[in-house]
Structure formats: structure tokens, C-alpha cells
Amino acid sequence: ACGKDDKAADDKKFKVAMVTDTGGVDDKSFNQSAWEGLQKFGADNKLKSGSDFKYLQSNSPSDYAPNLNKLVRDKYDIVYGIGFLMENDIKKVADQQPKGKLAIVDTVVDKKNVASIVFKENEGSFLVGLIAGMQTKSNKVGFVGGVESPLIKKFENGFKAGVKMANPKAEIMIQYAGDFNKAEKGLAIANTFYGKGADIIYHAAGGTGKGIFTEAKNRAKNGKKVWVIGVDRDQFEEGQPQGVTLTSMVKRVDIAVQQVSKDTKEGHFPGGKVVEFGLDKDAVSIAPHKENVSKDALAKVDEFKKKIKDGELKVPKDDKEYEEFLKTLKK
Amino acid sequence: MDFLQILALIIPAAIVSAAPIILTSLGGVLSERSGVVNIGLEGLMMFGAFIGALFTYYGQEWGLGAASPWMSFVAAIVAGAIFAIPHAIASISLKADQVVSGVALNFLAAGLSVFLTKKIFDAGQTPDIQERINKGDIPFLSKIPLLGDWLFSSAYVTSFVAVALAVIVWFVIYKTPFGLRIRSVGEHPMAAETMGINVIKTRYISVILGGAFAGLGGAIYVATISGNFSASTISGQGFMALAAMIFGKWHPLGAMGAALFFGLAQSLSITGEQIPYLKEIPNAILLVLPYVLTILALTGFVGRADAPKASGKPYEKGKR
Amino acid sequence: MMKGRFFPILVPVFSVILGLIIGAIIMLVSGYDPIAAYGALVTGVFGDSYNLGETVRTATPLILSGLAVAFAFRTGLFNIGVEGQVLVGWLASVYVGISLDAPMVIHLPLAILAGALAGAIWGVIPGLLKAKFKVHEVITTIMMNYIALYGTNGIIRAYLLQPGERTKDIKSSASLGSAFLGELTEGSRMHYGLIVAIIVAVIMWFILWKTTTGYELRAVGFNQHASQYAGINVSKNIILAMAISGAFAGVAGTMEGLGTFQYMSINNAFTGVGFDGIAVSLLGANGSIGIIVAAFLFGGLKQGALEMSSAAGVPTELVGIIIALIIFFVACSYLVHWLTNRFTKGGKL
Amino acid sequence: MEYVIEMRNIRKEFPGIVANDNVTLQVQKGEIHALLGENGAGKSTLMNVLFGLYQPEQGEIYIKGEKVDITDPNIANNLGIGMVHQHFMLVENFTVTENIILGREITTGGRIDLKKAAKEIQKLSDQYGLRVDPYAKIENISVGMQQRVEILKTLYRGAEILIFDEPTAVLTPQEIHELMEILKKLVAEGKSIILITHKLKEIMEACDRCTVIRRGRGIGTVDVASSSPRHLAEMMVGREVNFKVEKQPAQPKGAVLEITNLVVEDSRKVPVVNELNLQVKSGEILGIAGVDGNGQTELLEAITGLHKVKSGTVTLNGENITNQKPRKVTQSGLGHIPQDRHKHGLVLDFSIGTNMVLQTYYQQPFSKHKILKFQTIHNKAKALIDEFDVRTPSIHTPARALSGGNQQKAIIAREVDRSPDFLIAAQPTRGLDVGAIEFIHSKLIQERDKGKAVLLVSFELDEIMHVSDRIAVIYEGKIVAIVDPKETTEQELGLLMAGGKKDKAGDKV
Ligand SMILES: Nc1ncnc2c1ncn2[C@@H]1O[C@H](COP(=O)(O)OP(=O)(O)OP(=O)(O)O)[C@@H](O)[C@H]1O
Ligand SMILES: Nc1ncnc2c1ncn2[C@@H]1O[C@H](COP(=O)(O)OP(=O)(O)OP(=O)(O)O)[C@@H](O)[C@H]1O
Ligand SMILES: [Mg+2]
Ligand SMILES: [Mg+2]
């Protein structure tokens, strides 16, 4: 039977699948983006949804392992784990299923059969930081994180660097909500930030960010000019109808997933490697909706995009690098 | 930042986040005052939030514009009331253990609301609603020095609705015949029965009314805070409402006060990170602060609270 | 008298069947194929040894959290704080698992005990407040849940953080995991925790029904005045009840820390183990055997749900609905009583 | 002849028992009609049928000659039937007014008008001499006043027919006397009354006719004037009843319990037991007579360790037990038949067998190394149940399901069996029928004859007079007199209990 299978494998379709975290495929964030990438890949290769390409949703962290395991054993040619929370489970499954090909987003797993996909969120955040620095009227801006982690720190530090680059005098308020899903906390933090005079808030806080939009819209409706900078996807819609979304830092997990799937299909599975996606691959960028961004700011963004791509400027990703960055800035 | 500025930040935020909890705890008060324990508040609130998001969305589609959230409130009130019926049937007519039935209600709400969301929108969450309830200055009152800034400037109308409803519920429970009957049924149903009061009917009405309040609480959360519904929109607020009800000693105004206290503690911990000195306190400590404060308040000056005597006990006619 | 003897089993069985039937109806109405779905559900549980192993793994902490809720219930207390007690138990066991060097016979029991102790402390606080200040345990345990969630996160971040937002892995000498069980179940995370859970179930049964302590605990649960009259220390027993309940919950946490995960990560939300424990305990009628059965039912449904959504495309939430229905029907055992009474009495009531 | 109430051939079943079997009851207008029967005979059941709380399986009810169908208490109320229940039907944390108007509220503009209601209640209470404080909460008023509230409830609803289910079981002699006056006043106004009581004396004193039920069956109705207590008791029990408590003169020896200068404060820091001195000797029954609320409860709680002592000492068998834990006190040789059997005496949800070791479960042979020995416990329970004739289907039956009389017997069995040197019996026969009372009295005397000391607290003067060897009168927290029952009359005792002041009839709010 083995021989037969092998033979059939050649003309058998290439199958891809992913495991979401508890957010699900429509979290308006990286799960959704990854699934869009998979769908695009499926359409390009005429795959059938639900069998040739599909996703499994996890209801709790303990579901990651069985879900990954199931997909690998169902002979999917590459299985994505979306989010750094699956790091350990990916490792485990990779050990148990040495023949399976796995990929993880947002962290690095050093295994021969695991491809690690990471993004340079700090670079994208730097760009929106520039915009914030240019467009703040009060010289005060804010950053709200969900739960503190090195990943979210990349957003924070990139953003801070951008702001300081464009506007060294600007004051930056930072707060972590301790939660990705508490809109009322987002609302209260935004209330504090705006109340203390900030006019632009950048968030990397998932569902907690909803409260930030709510507060901004309320203020906008009462005639105050305040902005939110969205994250992960273009959050222009979230800002409607008052149009409070200044811009968004878009993280193209879809591009990454398509790219890695394509490579794998062509026999170049980047197992054991770290595939980095940054400005260079247009995998992090500012959102297509640009109507609220000033011409000057856009020009500035383009200027620095080039500098970063050319390697002239290194964007800090953690607190230490940021400290050093500030020193270079002073010189 | 000076002290007054801090208050001006903390108080409005507290009131905003308190409104859904106030309403839901009022639902709890109504239900438990009649003798039916309601652990299902979380579920009722969740279902209300779902219906709130759903009907605001459809309201927008149907061209109701700014009236959409208000229509969604009506829908959520009705839905909450209907959703409370299984709990009423189980715990009143079928003499089920009320805690069990309430827990079942929570599971049912979590399953059903997300299941229906997936069925209707083919997504794990509803679309963002465009028409919200918006903050605004309350005419005249917002001009009062200090208090105007704290309480009546850029405030949600719904917050005042919540406070007004708390007063109304207090009036109904403590000042009207209907309230007297609800309380009698929760304290000594047999006595009520001998006075010609229909225990079963009174309890049904109270539980269903309680569901309506909790449903409204959920819908207001969506309209004023989250802006859409997903599985994680209501995660624990119903239990906080339950705690507020007990904290408030099963009294409508007490429950309101407790909900405001939670809100205040919460916004203090959030704003605290932006206040000099407090800033130095580790984030984790500020995060647990509201809950620690609540426990301290309970221990220090609230102390003992007695539930209505018959709460939790199914009433059987003629049983001793 | 046959009715009397079989009644306790009759109700849950009846409830499960009824819940599944209504679940099928909902599927039909909303356009899913119930036969395929239930087929997948069964495969998801019994399909292969991996699924079976994972089902056991899911059920293991639920047994313990169910026992924790039940123990408190038996003594007249409602412990909604199991969730928080699970978290602190988890952290304590992982801490001991990481930081100690000892042979397994010492290390593993010590790590489990650490979890139990942490859970017990978390339970004692509400117990103490109830006994001394008459503060209602329902509020304090809800508050203690949040304190546990943010507190454990804070401790991990401050002292134990490793890349990946988590602690180090525990040493193998503190692990409940086993290569043997893993091989047996095609690499599932099934671990020896089931044995611990069953031992705890026996302990609960024994304490409650065989010892003078159990006699006192139950007496206080039913009637504090009479207990006082009989010379039983009411405050002490309230505190003790919460301590034991919390200890059980803490052990449930060690199942995650020493079994399933072997580390603790920063939790973005509650684990759900504690809240599910309430349902498990109620479904199991607060008895040791009932709880074990209910935990397996629960674990099976949750595990099977993954396959159900994978193979039959039915949202996993449907399983939540079915669970809710089953609990409802169990709660309404009066209905079953009534029906059987009616039946045996020939329609006269 | 037309009856104001006629219940014909009523049959009411409960699972496994026929509570009323073909009972007929006919009440004339303007009479006080007694209903008599042993515990569990079916009196309350019959009245609950009349009041619409139970539906009979068979039989008809006629009110003033008209056939009626009373399916719920509302209908009964509308028919002019009011009932004062055996266990009061009052909401404890409501005020008197709120309790009375519940269901028939007086409102102005949708709002309850408590002032107007209170005025109306005042009018009613003046009319019938039913003194109440309209604004007091039920939990703060005496049992006697609670009962008057119950009566007012029925009058407020315009009841013409009043049912009293064992109203005197919980009252002090003074209160009973007042109640009887009120009943007479009510019939004088043209109302009709059904009175359930176990006290034959009350029937003889106040009633016109008496219907007797035995084991659910109607035995007959007699004119009280042409009957005697002995005759009624025989009808009720079906055998001859011995009224006189048989006992030999006491042979007291040394003091077992000694109380000196005892002061106990209540929750408001008011001393309710005030410099009290008392001795109970072995081989005697010391009765404490007193109006409710003169510190009896606190005295007993202080002795047993349930209530803190402010100052003074309590010694038992020479051992100082002041402010000791209840367990310690029990171990020093104290037995306690508590006043409130449901609150203190039993864990109602435990089986009756388990309740039998409530005081001894932790001792050998019932447990060893903290492990319960069920076989021993069961054997003990069986033995006690046989010896004390506790009627229960099995030792595994929950205590809740037993009748009050049998619950009381179980408690007595448990306490007496431990053979304590000092036995407290608080209201040991409250609500019990004559047969059960006879049994309990003989048990107390048996203990005395074994050389134990017995402290009897009772509001029944009869009981105090007949059972005690010495009587201590308690008034305002002090023992004001110690008398010999053989040389004292009830009148003299009553005077002492009232502290010499006549208006002090137990109305502490
Ligand atoms: N709610 C009930 N459920 C089951 N059986 C009952 C119930 N109430 C009464 N009974 C049965 O009916 C019988 C009569 O009870 P009932 O209360 O009428 O007695 P009673 O004459 O009022 O006694 P007592 O003098 O003690 O008040 C009891 O022996 C009992 O077996
Ligand atoms: N819930 C119940 N289930 C079954 N039987 C009951 C129940 N309640 C009461 N009974 C029965 O009712 C009978 C009488 O009970 P009841 O409480 O009227 O006794 P009692 O002597 O009047 O006691 P009390 O002095 O407390 O009024 C008992 O024989 C008991 O078996
Ligand atoms: Mg009776
Ligand atoms: Mg009785």
C-alpha cells in the first residue's frame, strides 16, 4: 500500500492547514490575516477549502497540541501554528512527528522541521511613530499594549523611536492593560491618555483596543480632534463613522504564509530557518487608507522607509536598543 | 497632575464602566429578592450583549440610524427576559437546584450566542457597530463647578439610565405592593401564599424581569464600550455584577454603590499608572488593586450580609 | 424499590441522551449533519489512542476541580474561586518543579504538595473572612480569582520569565508525564495525574463519610447552630473546608503544571478549569464517583468537539450548548421524578 | 341546623399515609370549637384543607350551607376564613404593619401608605384588645405579640371564621390567659373559632364543643360542658391516660451545679442575667418558672457555653466551667435538651441514626483514631430508638421527616443515654400530645431517681408544678424566690413571676 500512496502523492494536491489560537480566524488580527493568506494560496492553486486547506480553532491553550497533531497526522504538507503561544506545542509535535512540516508565526523554534516566521513589527511601528510625531498637536502621544511581552515590546519601542525621530520634544505615555480582551480597560486608559492631553494613541492590545476606539470616537463626536493608530490590519473601519483612525500598522501574515507555502510546495521548505518579514518584503507597512496622514508625514515615511531598507537605520526592538537609539538621536 | 485633575479622570471612567454592572446586578437583586438565586447573570448579560450587537447592526441596515442602539436595547431587554425563562422554569416549576440551573444558563449563553454569531455572520464576532451611544455634556448640570466636570461632562446617557433604574427598582421593591410581595416571597413564601399571593407567578415575574435587566446591561456594554460582540466580550462582568449584588446586600442602591466602587477601584488602578509616585508601583500590583480593595472594603466596613431567607430554596406548596 | 436504586443513574443517563437529541435537532435546523457530527465526536474521543489519551488528559484536572467545588458544597459553601486556586497551585508546583533538585520520589510529591498548599492558602483566605467577618464567600472567591490571575502573571514576569512568556520547563524529576504513556497513546500528553486525581477522589470520599472531621464538616454545612450546640468549632470547620477545597483545586493546577504543560505561561485569561469544575461537580451530584464520570463526559465532549469541527465542520460551540442542556436536565431531575411517579402511580398525582 | 362550616367526609393522603380518613367537622356560628388529637393525628392537615393549602382527595366543604371549592388560600380569605398557623407565617424582617397588609396593601398613588395602614391596624387592635406596635419588626417582638399579629392579619381581612392551630404551645401562662380573653371577645362579636390544642384544661375552660381525631379518623364530637378531661383524653388516645405524674419524694444530695453572681449581657450590652445565684442538687428536679424574656435563654446558653459570661462563675461537679467551650462543658457532665429542637437539637438533614451520636461521635466506641465506626453507631441508634419508642421507618430516615414529638424523643434519648450528672430540659414537651408528655416526664423523673440533677425550664405552670421538686422563680435576670411546689399555688407562683407588678405580662419589645 505504501508504494501506491507514494505514487499517488505526486499527483495528489499540496495540502496546507493552520491552527488558530483562541481568537479564531476572524479576530481581525493575525489569525484572520494568516487565514486570508491560506485562502489566497488555496485559490491560486485551485485547492478545495475544508479539505485541501483548512484551519482548526483552539478553544483553550491546551487545544493547540491536539490540533497541530491532528493536522500533521492527516498528512497536511505544512501546518502553521499562529502565534508565539504555540511555541512549546510546536516543539513537541515536531519531535513526535519528525516527518511533518511545521511553521510558527511570531517566534523562533529551533527544529529542523519547523520554519520560524517572524516580523519586524518595530519597523512598521517606527513608521506610524513618525506619523504620530509629525501630526501631534499637543506633543503628547500614547501607546497601549495588551499583555506585556517581547513581541508587544517591539511595537512599543519601534513606535517610540519613530515619534522621537520625528519630534524629539514629544512626550510618550505607555500603559499595558494586562489583558487583550477588556474593552472597558482600553476605554479607561484612553480616557486617561486623552484626558492628560495626548491626541494620538497607538495600540497593540487586541480586543482591549476596541475601548480605545470607542473613547476616541466619543471625543471626536464632541468636537475634539483625537486619533487612534490601528494595528495588525487596516483598522480604518473601526474608526468610522467619525474617522478617528489616523493610520494603521499593517502586519502581513498573509504574505508570509503564502510565501512559505509556495516555497514549501516548490520543495524549498525553510525548515530550521528563521524567515524574517520586514519593510523589505512589504510585510510590515502603513495601511492603504492614507487620507488622514499629512503629505509631510508621508514624505517622511518614504524617506525613512528607504533608510531602513538600505540598512542606514536600525530600528530598536527592545528597551535596551531603544536607550541606545535615544543616545544616537541626541548626537 | 493635581488631585482635582485626577478625580476628573477617574470618576467619569468609573461611571462608564459601572453602568452595565449596575444594570446586571439590579437583575440579580430582583431575582434573588424573590428567592431565586441567579448565578446565570453572566450568561444573561452575554446573551444581551449578543442581541445588542445583532440588533444595532440590523437597525443600521434597516436605516434606523442613531435609533439603532436604542432599538437594540429593547431587543436585548426582551431577549434577556426570554432567556431567563429556562432558568425560571427549571428553578421555580421544576424545583431544580438554582445554582445548577444558573450554571447551565451560563454555558447555554456562551454556546448559543457564539453559535448564532457564526451562523448569522459566518464569523466569530459580529461586525463593528457604527451607531453607538455617545458621550455628551448633560445640559446645565455639566456647568456645575467640579461636580459638573466629574459627573455630567462627557458622560453617557446610559449611565444615568442605569442610576435612574436603580432608584426605580429601589422604589418598586421597597415602596410598592408589588415589591412587598416580591420580598415576602423571597423571605417566607409559605407566609406569602397564605396571604393569597401567588408565589410561583411572583417568582416568574421577578426572574424574568431580572433577565431583562441583565440583558440590557449586556447590550449597553456593547453600545458604550466594546462596539461589537465576540466570545470574549463578556468575560467575568456578570460575576462582578453578582459580587456587586452581594456587596450591596441585595439592595438596589447598595448594588449600584458596589458597582460604582468596582468601577472607581478599576479606574484608579488604571489612571494610577499615569500618576507620579503611583507610577513606581509594579503593574501587577495595580492590576490586582481593585480586587484587593473590594475584599478590604468588605472586611472592614461592610461585613455580614444575609441573603433573602428563602433564596435558593424551591417552593413546594404545603411542604414544611 | 427498583426505581429507588437506579434513580441516581437514571437521571444523568436520561439527561445525556436528551441533550444529544436536542443537539441533533439544533444541528438539523441549522444545516449540519448530526450523524456525521456525532460520528466525528466519537472518533474524536475513541478514534485512536492519541485522542483517547488527550481525553483522559482533559478530564484529569476537571476531576480535581470538580472535587474541589463538591467538597465546599458538601460543607455548605460555594467556592467559585477554584479557578484562582488552580492558578496558584499551578504556579507553586512549577516553581518547586524548576527550582529543586531531588530524586523523583521526593521531588514529584513535593511539587504536588506545593500546589495543594498554595491552593489551600488561596482557599483559606475567603474561609477566614467568612468565619471571622461573615463576608460572603462568593464575592471573595470571585475577587481572589482575579488576584490569582494577575498575581501569578506578575510573579512569572518578575521572577521566572523565559522567552515565550513563560517559565522554564520543570525538571523531569517533578514531571507527571511519561514516555511510556506517550508511546502508548501515539504521543498524547496523557500523564500519571489521573492516578493522583483518583486518589484525591478517594480521599474526599473518605474524609467526608468515614472520619469525624467529615462528620463535623457536614454538620456545620447543614446547621451551624446545632453544630455549635454539639461542641463543634464552626469557624474552624469553615476554614478547614475551604482549605481542603482549595487544596484539591491546587492539585488540579499541578495537573497542568506537572502534567500537561510542564511549565506555566502568562495567562491572558482564566483557564476555565475551575468554572468547568462547577458544572462537573453538579453533574456528578457532588459525589466522588459521579464526579469522575462527569469529568470524563465533559473531557470527552470537549476533546471530541475538536474533531467535530475539524471533520464535520460543526462549530465547537454546539458542544457547549449540549453540555448546557445536559446540566439543565440533570438539574430538573424533579421532572424525571415526576414522570416516573406519574408512571408508577398510573397517572394519578 | 345550618353550620357555618361543614367539612364532610374529608380524605387527604400523603405519599404513604392517609392523614385524614373520612373526617367530618361541623362548626356552629359563634362557638369555639376544639379540635383534639395526638401528634400526627391529622388536625393541621384538616385545617390546611379548609384553608386551601391542601386539596382533599375526597369530601365536600360547605360554608354557611353553600358548597365551596377552596383551591387556594385566597379563596379561603374571600370566604371569610382566616388561619393562625401552628408555625407562624410571618416575614421576620418585615414590620408588623407590612406583615398584616401583605396582599391587601393600602396605597396612595401606587405607593404603599404605611401610615394609613398603621392607623387602620391600630383601630382593629383597640377594638379587640390586641396590643401591637405597628412599626416594630417581627424579629424584635415577643412570641405573644407575633401571635397577635397573626390574629390581626385574619381580622384585617375581615375573617368571620378563625382557625387557631396550637396557638398556646408557644405562649406563657399570662399570654394564654390573654388569648383566651381575646377568643371570647371574638365569639362575642359573632365570629366562629376552631381551636387546636393539646391542653385539655384550655378546652374545658374556653370551648363549647370538641371534635376528636385519632390516626386520621374522626372519633366524634362532644359538648364540652357534659364531658371531662379524662373522657376527652381517652377518646383521643384510645386508652386510659394517667394525668398525675407518679413520683416519690426527692432525695437531694450535694450540689452538682453552682452558679454565683452570674452576669450575662445580650448583644446590646444590656445585662439580661444579673447577679444570679442558683444551686441544683443531685437527685432533684429544679424547675425554673418565669415569664419569657427574663433571662432564661441567656442563663441556659451561659451554662452550656453558647453565650459569653460577663462575670460570675458556673461550676459543675466542682469544676469551673465559666466561659468554657460547649464541648468542654458537655464533657464535664452536662446534658442539654435544647429549647429549639430544629435550630439546636438536630441536624435535620442528617439521618436520625447519625443524629443520635451528635454529642459523642468523636468518642470511643463511635470512632477510633478519627475514623467513624458505623456498625457501633447504628447499633446504638437502633437501641435508643427502641428504648425511647422513637417512631421512624428506619435509622436512615432524615431527622426532618420525623414528627416533632418523635424528634423530641430522639433528642431526649441521646441526652439521657449519656447519663450526664446534670441535665437541662428546656421546654421539653412544647407542642407534644399528652401521651408523649407523659413519657418525657417519666424519663426526667427516672433520671432524678438515678441521682442526677435536672434543671427544668418551662412556661407551662402545670409542668413546673407537677414535675419539679423545687421551683426557682426568675425575674429580670435574678432568682427572686425559691418555693416548694407542694406548698404553693399557681396564683402565688404567677404573682412572683410577674415581679409583683401585674401589667408585666411578657410584652418586651
Ligand atoms: N407535607 C406533608 N407531607 C407528607 N406527609 C404529611 C405532610 N403533612 C402531614 N403529613 C402526614 O399527615 C399526618 C397528619 O399530620 P398533621 O400535621 O395533620 O398532624 P397534627 O394532628 O396536626 O399533629 P400535631 O398535633 O403534631 O400538630 C402526619 O402523621 C403525616 O404523616
Ligand atoms: N417533608 C416531609 N416529608 C414527609 N413527611 C413529613 C414531612 N414533614 C412532616 N412530615 C410528617 O408529618 C408528621 C407530623 O409532622 P409535624 O411536623 O406536624 O409534627 P408535629 O408533632 O406537629 O411537630 P411540631 O411540634 O414541630 O409541629 C410526621 O409524622 C412526619 O412524618
Ligand atoms: Mg399540627
Ligand atoms: Mg405539633
Side-chain angles (χ1 to χ4, degrees), chain B residues 164-188:
Chain B
L165 281 173
V167 174
I168 291 173
V169 171
W170 164 78
F171 182 84
V172 168
I173 289 188
Y174 283 96
K175 298 290 167 197
T176 68
F178 178 59
L180 190 71
R181 292 170 187 203
I182 291 182
R183 284 184 293 139
S184 73
V185 157
E187 290 287 334
H188 195 332

Side-chain angles (χ1 to χ4, degrees), chain A residues 36 79 106 119 129 151 168-169 209 242 249 301 309 320-321:
Chain A
E36 281 164 5
V79 176
D106 275 352
F119 292 84
L151 177 68
K169 286 198 297 282
Q242 287 80 11
M249 199 292 280
V301 165
K309 276 188 190 170
K320 217 172 107 225
E321 288 183 13

Side-chain angles (χ1 to χ4, degrees), chain A residues 164 321-331:
Chain A
K164 286 287 182 195
E321 288 183 13
Y322 176 67
E323 288 304 318
E324 276 157 25
F325 173 84
L326 277 188
K327 276 181 208 146
T328 60
L329 209 60
K330 283 206 183 97
K331 273 181 222 160

Side-chain angles (χ1 to χ4, degrees), chain D residues 386-451:
Chain D
D386 284 349
E387 186 189 340
F388 285 81
D389 189 32
V390 181
R391 308 250 169 98
T392 170
S394 98
I395 56 167
H396 304 293
T397 310
R400 186 179 291 290
L402 267 61
S403 78
N406 283 303
Q407 289 172 343
Q408 187 71 355
K409 282 195 223 164
I411 294 171
I412 291 170
R414 180 183 72 210
E415 296 304 308
V416 166
D417 178 64
R418 290 190 295 118
S419 189
D421 297 327
F422 175 57
L423 180 66
I424 296 176
Q427 318 287 357
T429 60
R430 186 182 263 189
L432 301 190
D433 67 46
V434 286
I437 293 174
E438 188 186 355
F439 174 84
I440 286 165
H441 286 170
S442 72
K443 277 291 166 194
L444 292 180
I445 292 164
Q446 225 173 41
E447 284 307 293
R448 179 202 76 167
D449 291 345
K450 282 193 218 154

Side-chain angles (χ1 to χ4, degrees), chain B residues 318-320, chain D residues 14-15 17 19 37-46 54 86 165-166 198 431:
Chain B
K319 189 186 168 174
R320 300 183 251 190
Chain D
F14 289 113
I17 189 155
E38 287 179 284
N39 292 125
K43 307 177 295 290
S44 299
T45 305
L46 187 67
Y54 294 157
Q86 185 168 356
D165 192 351
E166 283 192 46
H198 291 298

